[in-house]
Amino acid sequence: MNSLQEIATRLRTGGHTLITSHILPDGDSIGSLLGLGLALREAGCKVTMFSVDGVPARYSFLKKVELIQSHELPGNGYSHVVALDCSDHLRIWPIWDKIKDLFIINIDHHPTNQNYGSLNYVDTKAGATGEIVYFLLQELGISPTIEVAEALYVAIATDTGSFKFESTSARTHRVTAKLFEAGVKPQDISSLVFDQRSREAIYILRAALMSLRFSPDGRIAWMILNEKDMEESGARDEHLEGAVNFAKNIEGVDVGLLFRAKEDGTVKVGFRSHNIDVGQVAHSLGGGGHARAAGCSLESSPQDAVNTVMSALEPLMRD
Ligand SMILES: [Mn+2]
């Protein structure tokens, strides 16, 4: 693995920096992307911030978030590409062909990271990629402005489940304290990011809860959504964020699953758990993620997908 110092040295060589993150962006992708992008911009660097799937409405309150471009990768002639929070190239597949021959700086915290970059910095102890970005800025001698601090706070607060997941460390809190010193007011951010839900999100959650099923021992709970549910709710993928936790957080449940059957015949599976290493299971089914939060995509009917996942979980549930 490379060091943040090596990455800072490369970024200091200047040129045009492209910063990007994964498809279906979450709070960590948008927060890390915006935090690093704005900081480098304010330091006088030429920066393009790009999120292929845009910015979910939930994060649109972030200042200067409109600087993040989306859909078609603008221009070329990039000196280097910073890929944030992407464990492998499939997480940025829509632009991979255009960037794969460029100098890629891979900064991430997923244990399944494939080290696909020219420089790789993967800190699996970080609660969020945003936590790593804070230390990169320190290495670059940049102190975060309020805009940067708010973006990094969103990255860290969302990816640690409001500082509740086991990835939350003393260091996570020390970084957060620095963001508070830079002016972050959590009460301004929390209700917008965590509490407020759109109608579409509530409607699709209702549909998901209607489909709730349990394994005979009650330790696995799952929900199934199909295209019709999505259409009737007016929901898009971003409205599903967090829905799987409703299955996980039921008394007696260890593993919560959300199966989302898509029109193209694939089923996207979201895994959340309290104790079981679902990252390992998702990985064995061609997906990836963390031990307590993971995902995969299966080409099958929804019911076959449920059976496949149950069989894959079975040996782990026995111990
Ligand atoms: Mn992350």
Side-chain angles (χ1 to χ4, degrees):
M1 189 169 80
N2 302 99
S3 64
L4 287 179
Q5 198 185 356
E6 287 171 272
I7 292 174
T9 302
R10 173 75 195 195
L11 290 174
R12 275 201 210 94
T13 62
H16 189 175
T17 305
L18 172 67
I19 311 178
T20 191
S21 187
H22 55 79
I23 51 172
L24 302 176
D26 57 12
D28 193 18
S29 1
I30 298 299
S32 302
L33 173 56
L34 187 64
L36 181 61
L38 290 180
L40 289 177
R41 221 171 151 254
E42 282 150 17
C45 303
K46 188 176 178 197
V47 173
T48 293
M49 294 177 247
F50 182 75
S51 165
V52 65
D53 288 334
V55 176
R58 179 184 301 258
Y59 307 113
S60 59
F61 73 94
L62 283 164
K63 292 180 197 86
K64 299 187 182 163
V65 76
E66 66 281 357
L67 294 172
I68 297 179
Q69 304 189 53
S70 60
H71 306 302
E72 282 297 316
L73 186 64
N76 47 39
Y78 297 109
S79 324
H80 29 249
V81 183
V82 183
L84 295 166
D85 203 43
C86 298
S87 51
D88 59 60
H89 72 276
L90 291 173
R91 299 291 282 153
I92 35 174
W93 69 265
I95 59 164
W96 182 247
D97 270 349
K98 287 185 182 151
I99 65 164
K100 65 172 195 274
D101 296 326
L102 300 175
F103 190 95
I104 295 176
I105 302 171
N106 161 26
I107 300 176
D108 186 28
H109 66 134
H110 293 92
T112 51
N113 192 287
Q114 299 295 308
N115 294 309
Y116 54 87
S118 316
L119 289 174
N120 299 285
Y121 188 85
V122 181
D123 179 359
T124 57
K125 290 207 169 67
T129 297
E131 188 175 319
I132 306 171
V133 168
Y134 175 83
F135 290 111
L136 176 59
L137 296 186
Q138 222 174 30
E139 195 62 53
L140 285 160
I142 302 174
S143 29
T145 58
I146 177 70
E147 287 96 353
V148 171
E150 282 185 346
L152 296 182
Y153 179 79
V154 164
I156 295 169
T158 55
D159 240 31
T160 58
S162 299
F163 307 93
K164 287 184 294 195
F165 297 160
E166 64 181 337
S167 58
T168 313
S169 66
R171 192 184 75 180
T172 309
H173 281 282
R174 279 196 289 272
V175 169
T176 306
K178 292 289 179 197
L179 302 177
F180 279 33
E181 282 167 13
V184 168
K185 296 201 165 44
Q187 69 274 23
D188 294 348
I189 293 174
S190 300
S191 67
L192 293 170
V193 172
F194 296 112
D195 303 337
Q196 215 175 82
R197 284 167 193 271
S198 64
R199 282 192 193 193
E200 293 89 337
I202 291 294
Y203 288 154
I204 197 65
L205 179 61
R206 176 173 62 185
L209 290 172
M210 289 296 287
S211 75
L212 185 67
R213 296 286 181 280
F214 295 92
S215 60
D217 64 4
R219 290 170 65 208
I220 307 174
W222 69 94
M223 305 182 290
I224 305 176
L225 289 172
N226 53 43
E227 206 57 42
K228 190 166 152 275
D229 298 314
M230 297 296 282
E231 271 164 30
E232 285 174 1
S233 308
R236 296 184 301 277
D237 282 317
E238 66 179 83
H239 297 117
L240 294 174
E241 200 179 331
V244 63
N245 293 316
F246 282 83
K248 184 196 84 171
N249 290 334
I250 301 168
E251 197 174 17
V253 169
D254 198 334
V255 179
L257 304 164
L258 178 64
F259 296 85
R260 150 106 164 87
K262 298 198 143 192
E263 241 170 9
D264 62 5
T266 62
V267 180
K268 250 193 91 197
V269 191
F271 297 75
R272 293 293 182 278
S273 81
H274 293 287
N275 298 300
I276 303 289
D277 184 353
V278 289
Q280 189 189 321
V281 178
H283 192 71
S284 75
L285 297 172
H290 302 282
R292 307 289 175 256
C296 71
S297 190
L298 300 169
E299 259 175 66
S300 73
S301 70
Q303 195 48 55
D304 286 346
V306 171
N307 295 338
T308 303
V309 170
M310 291 303 151
S311 310
L313 278 168
E314 212 263 317
L316 290 166
M317 304 298 291
R318 247 187 271 132
D319 310 327

